Amino acid sequence: METRLREHGLRITPQRLAVAELMLAEPVHLSPQQVYEQLRSRLPSLSPNTIYLTLDHFEKAGLLRRIHVGGRTVFDSRTERHDHACCRRCGLIQDLPASSVEHAPLTIRRWRIDAESRVFSGLCPACLEREG
Amino acid sequence: METRLREHGLRITPQRLAVAELMLAEPVHLSPQQVYEQLRSRLPSLSPNTIYLTLDHFEKAGLLRRIHVGGRTVFDSRTERHDHACCRRCGLIQDLPASSVEHAPLTIRRWRIDAESRVFSGLCPACLEREG
DNA sequence: CCTCCTTTTAGTAATTAATCCTAAAAGGAA
DNA sequence: TTCCTTTTAGGATTAATTACTAAAAGGAGG
């Protein structure tokens, strides 16, 4: 795990190793608060601020992807392109391979889906004009 | 406009009429704060709380749709199914008819799109089991 | 046009998420 | 080991949203 962080240009600290083991060992979707709660028993002096900074660094390094789902911000350990299903009652987030929802997404893997949101992001024509 | 609100089971108040004129007359994407800022000159005693409550009521009545775009919460006056493009620099949100982005969405209407997020929401299998 | 019940509103307080700031601590190359 | 740079903890700060409550207003029925 150390080598993986080093390969992405990140310094090694106990805090970062803990975050990496939690976030990168298997596919998860966790909010910064959830990460903080899960790690504070192991690192009692840990600060929430450190979690925010660490997740930002991991995102910039390409190790994590920040996603906005149902009004919450969570970090996803799978960075390749895929969709998500989100339960509006319990908040569960599940990965969906892009191919699984090409048509008629009203029932997906035993979910009852009643809404789909698709957002494309980038630069609008005006900002492109201004800054290339 | 009054009749439209009444048809949706909503009581008429000056605050609601002001919100309705701002949000329902033409297609807009506004956050609660933006709605509040735009109306407080007309209704000096207006409270932000009222905006939140009113937008909630309008959403429940089917007059508005709440969308989460780029980490922000905005209300969309178009309730039929469509996608959005969001500029990560200036925050502009543009409607996209669903048909316009079926394939190769990397360039849409002179935007430079570099990310797509698709979220399906509803009830997960566990919650379905529990509550039908 | 009254009356009365229910809903809505304003205002304040409380919560929550996220960022800013600074000094101390730690990483790691030479 | 030394020294420079990055990272961390902690508190302060900002912003978004919800909770609470008493007062005000809507509107149905007389």
Side-chain angles (χ1 to χ4, degrees), chain B residues 12 17 26 29 40-41 43 46 49 59-60 62 66-67 70-72 74 98 102 107 118-119 124 129:
Chain B
I12 306 305
L17 284 174
E26 55 189 83
H29 305 95
R40 71 210 239 83
S41 53
L43 292 88
L46 187 63
N49 198 2
E59 183 198 19
K60 288 205 181 76
R66 185 194 309 255
I67 61 175
R72 294 185 302 149
V74 303
E102 282 311 310
T107 58
R118 186 156 55 158
V119 178
C124 71
E129 179 79 22

Side-chain angles (χ1 to χ4, degrees), chain B residues 11 13 15-16 49-50:
Chain B
R11 281 199 181 178
T13 70
Q15 295 86 346
R16 290 181 176 189
N49 198 2
T50 298

Side-chain angles (χ1 to χ4, degrees), chain B residues 27-91:
Chain B
V28 290
H29 305 95
L30 295 174
S31 67
Q33 289 77 14
Q34 288 174 316
V35 175
Y36 175 65
E37 288 305 325
Q38 299 226 17
L39 296 184
R40 71 210 239 83
S41 53
R42 259 208 277 172
L43 292 88
S45 76
L46 187 63
S47 138
N49 198 2
T50 298
I51 300 300
Y52 283 104
L53 292 168
T54 301
L55 293 172
D56 281 349
H57 278 126
F58 282 21
E59 183 198 19
K60 288 205 181 76
L63 289 166
L64 293 175
R65 167 160 298 191
R66 185 194 309 255
I67 61 175
H68 302 288
V69 171
R72 294 185 302 149
T73 298
V74 303
F75 287 82
D76 188 343
S77 45
R78 292 179 56 191
T79 55
E80 76 275 15
R81 199 245 166 285
H82 62 282
D83 299 322
H84 294 97
C86 173
C87 181
R88 78 160 46 81
R89 191 155 299 162
C90 70

Side-chain angles (χ1 to χ4, degrees), chain A residues 123-125 128-129, chain B residues 107-112:
Chain A
L123 295 182
C124 69
L128 257 182
E129 180 78 22
Chain B
T107 58
I108 297 175
R109 300 180 171 206
R110 307 177 46 77
W111 289 56
R112 181 191 292 161

